[in-house]
């Protein structure tokens, strides 16, 4: 069924990115600006979009310099200890992100679909399913994303189109809101939700068409960012500032308030919540895959299955020990937003500077040889 060459197309990678972010960002971003006005929230979101696009450009530019694999590239440029350290930073980012997704999956399922089920049971079930899917490798994840993508993205587009008719102009354009340090800080926190774009450096060599890999990356990022901005514009326009602050899950509440013309699909909120959980499962599979892949990069010996199972068991235990979704969200904000992501960005920029210095020296040496001749 699968080719077994661990190669995917640019389109598949684009859909993987969208599924990894669409559900998580839609539910996580409001936590970063709980006390902000509607306009301030949108300004923070725009600053997060600008940061994400800038970081994506850096990642795409650096990925063009990688010939075989990112780990070997860093070993050649900065030495093996630095390569191991960078790999560990991305491993920790993936670990915290997967822990958060497990908790988010369980919290949404218990709140809207299975209210009588214990969260730890759902965490273990989701983790086992993610481990099984991730064990199939990159191609399995890519095929799964192609199948799931239309069932998640197209209903979301329908939802936004129908919900747009209930938007109030006075909600969308409130009086309060300005560009301030708090707004920028909230934007930086929102940016952490899309920080996983740096993992593309490890994925880039697996894209079939290397010339179009960067374009696919920008398309996936662009679709997600545009969709999230329009979605929150509709949410604020529907519920207003106070409504958005008061609702724990404004995205799911928006689903339940939408009335489909014709009177069918009366439980649209439950149907879409199940589909949203499917996007979480795709993101969980991605998290498990990266944990296994990065473990294999750090510890080159051993079996691939061991590289996947050990970190998967650790993150599942950590998610069960974590007291609540709120605790997991705070861990995500502090560790990924303030520690691991800034370090990953620093080394990405450092590698870019190293490449620029190398190119300049090569140009100078070439000019010197031409002058001598």
């Amino acid at each position: 069924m699968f080719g077994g060459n661990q190669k995917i197309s640019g389109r598949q990678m684009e859909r993987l990115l969208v599924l990894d972010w669409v559900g998580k960002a839609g539910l996580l971003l409001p936590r970063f600006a709980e006390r902000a006005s509607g306009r301030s929230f949108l300004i923070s979101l725009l600053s997060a979009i600008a940061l994400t696009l800038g970081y994506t450009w850096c990642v795409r530019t650096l990925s063009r310099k990688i010939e075989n694999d990112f780990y070997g590239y860093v070993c050649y440029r900065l030495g093996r200890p630095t390569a191991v350290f960078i790999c560990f930073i991305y491993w920790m980012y993936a670990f915290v992100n997967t822990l958060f997704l497990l908790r988010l999956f369980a919290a949404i399922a218990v709140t809207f679909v299975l209210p009588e089920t214990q969260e730890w049971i759902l965490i273990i079930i989701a983790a086992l399913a993610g481990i099984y899917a991730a064990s199939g490798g990159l191609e399995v994840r890519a095929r799964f994303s192609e199948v799931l993508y239309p069932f998640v993205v197209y209903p979301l587009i329908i939802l936004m189109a129908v919900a747009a008719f209930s938007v109030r102009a006075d909600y969308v354009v409130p009086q309060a809101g300005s560009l301030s340090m708090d707004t920028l800080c909230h934007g930086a926190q929102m940016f952490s939700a899309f920080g996983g774009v740096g993992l593309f450096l490890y994925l880039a060599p697996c894209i079939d068409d290397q010339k179009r890999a960067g374009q696919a990356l920008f398309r996936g990022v662009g679709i997600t960012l545009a969709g999230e901005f329009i979605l929150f514009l509709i949410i604020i326009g529907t519920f207003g500032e106070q409504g958005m602050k008061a609702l724990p899950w404004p995205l799911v509440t928006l689903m339940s308030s939408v009335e489909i013309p014709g009177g069918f699909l009366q439980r649209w909120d439950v149907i879409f919540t199940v589909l949203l959980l499917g996007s979480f499962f795709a993101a969980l599979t991605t998290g498990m895959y990266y944990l296994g892949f990065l473990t294999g990069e750090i510890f080159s010996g051993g079996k691939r299955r061991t590289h996947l199972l050990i970190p998967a068991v650790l993150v599942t235990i950590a998610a069960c020990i974590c007291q609540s979704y709120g605790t997991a969200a705070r861990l995500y904000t502090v560790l990924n937003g303030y520690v691991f992501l800034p370090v990953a960005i620093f080394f990405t920029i450092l590698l870019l500077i190293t490449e620029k210095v190398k190119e300049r020296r090569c140009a100078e040496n070439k000019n010197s040889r031409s002058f001598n001749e």
Side-chain angles (χ1 to χ4, degrees), residues 155-236:
L156 181 59
I157 294 174
I158 295 173
L159 165 72
M160 292 191 295
V162 176
F165 290 100
S166 61
V167 170
R168 293 180 53 178
D170 55 329
Y171 284 169
V172 177
V173 189
Q175 297 300 318
S178 61
L179 185 63
S180 62
M181 285 302 299
D182 287 341
T183 305
L184 294 177
C185 287
H186 291 153
Q189 291 176 337
M190 292 180 181
F191 166 56
S192 67
F194 307 102
V197 69
L199 289 165
F200 174 77
L201 293 170
Y202 291 95
L203 189 64
C206 300
I207 309 300
D208 279 332
D209 191 346
Q210 291 295 311
K211 294 181 179 179
R212 297 184 179 180
Q215 298 176 5
L217 173 66
F218 260 107
R219 283 198 304 270
V221 172
I223 291 172
T224 306
L225 294 177
E228 294 294 340
F229 182 80
I230 295 172
L231 180 62
F232 281 108
L233 196 64
I234 293 173
I235 289 175
I236 294 173

Side-chain angles (χ1 to χ4, degrees), residues 18-19 22-23 144-145 147-159 268 272-280 282:
V18 174
L19 289 177
V22 63
F144 176 74
S145 70
V147 173
L148 186 61
Y149 185 88
F151 291 100
V152 174
V153 175
Y154 296 158
L156 181 59
I157 294 174
I158 295 173
L159 165 72
W268 174 257
F272 193 85
T273 300
V274 173
L275 297 176
L276 199 63
L277 291 175
S279 73
F280 293 158

